[in-house]
Amino acid sequence: MIYLLALISIALGSTGQFVLKLAAGELRPASGIWNLIYSMISLKMVFAVSCFVFSMLMWIFVLRKLELSIAYPMVSLGYILVMLLSFFFLQEQVSAAKVGGTLLIVAGVIVLNMK
């Protein structure tokens, strides 16, 4: 159950990153700090921040049950989710180097979780 909670937390964090990218693309050039802050207020920005907050709250429960040296490397699984979201929804290129690097990260997570 705790691993499922960890995966949900990681998925929420990845979703937050994706939506934050969408929100950042809609920012208007601002002449001052207050104009910039005002331009950041949008539904996408609120949704992204909400994803981060819920992800953090879930992560606190994960950390209560798992060792940090086991739990924290799992966060890197978010790289896979972000890469997939970027590929499918933002039409970003996925090179062999990106896939290879991501697979190395996943392999590291698997090795760290072996007993």
Side-chain angles (χ1 to χ4, degrees), residues 6-115:
L7 290 175
I8 293 169
S9 173
I10 293 163
L12 279 171
S14 299
T15 301
Q17 286 294 334
F18 172 72
V19 177
L20 188 65
K21 169 70 173 172
L22 296 177
E26 295 176 356
L27 289 178
R28 298 180 303 273
S31 58
I33 186 71
W34 294 114
N35 288 336
L36 177 63
I37 291 171
Y38 180 72
S39 75
M40 293 174 121
I41 300 171
S42 71
L43 271 151
K44 287 180 184 169
M45 191 67 74
V46 170
F47 182 73
V49 170
S50 297
C51 285
F52 292 134
V53 169
F54 285 115
S55 174
M56 179 197 66
L57 293 173
M58 288 180 161
W59 195 250
I60 290 169
F61 289 103
V62 170
L63 293 178
R64 289 184 70 210
K65 300 290 183 184
L66 288 179
E67 294 178 26
L68 182 61
S69 61
I70 299 297
Y72 192 67
M74 292 175 66
V75 174
S76 62
L77 296 174
Y79 294 138
I80 296 170
L81 295 174
V82 169
M83 185 172 59
L84 291 172
L85 289 169
S86 300
F87 176 75
F88 286 112
F89 297 105
L90 300 175
Q91 286 72 49
E92 292 185 4
Q93 297 299 313
V94 176
S95 65
K98 285 182 186 178
V99 171
T102 302
L103 289 175
L104 285 172
I105 291 168
V106 171
V109 170
I110 290 169
V111 168
L112 284 171
N113 281 286
M114 294 173 93
K115 296 190 177 176

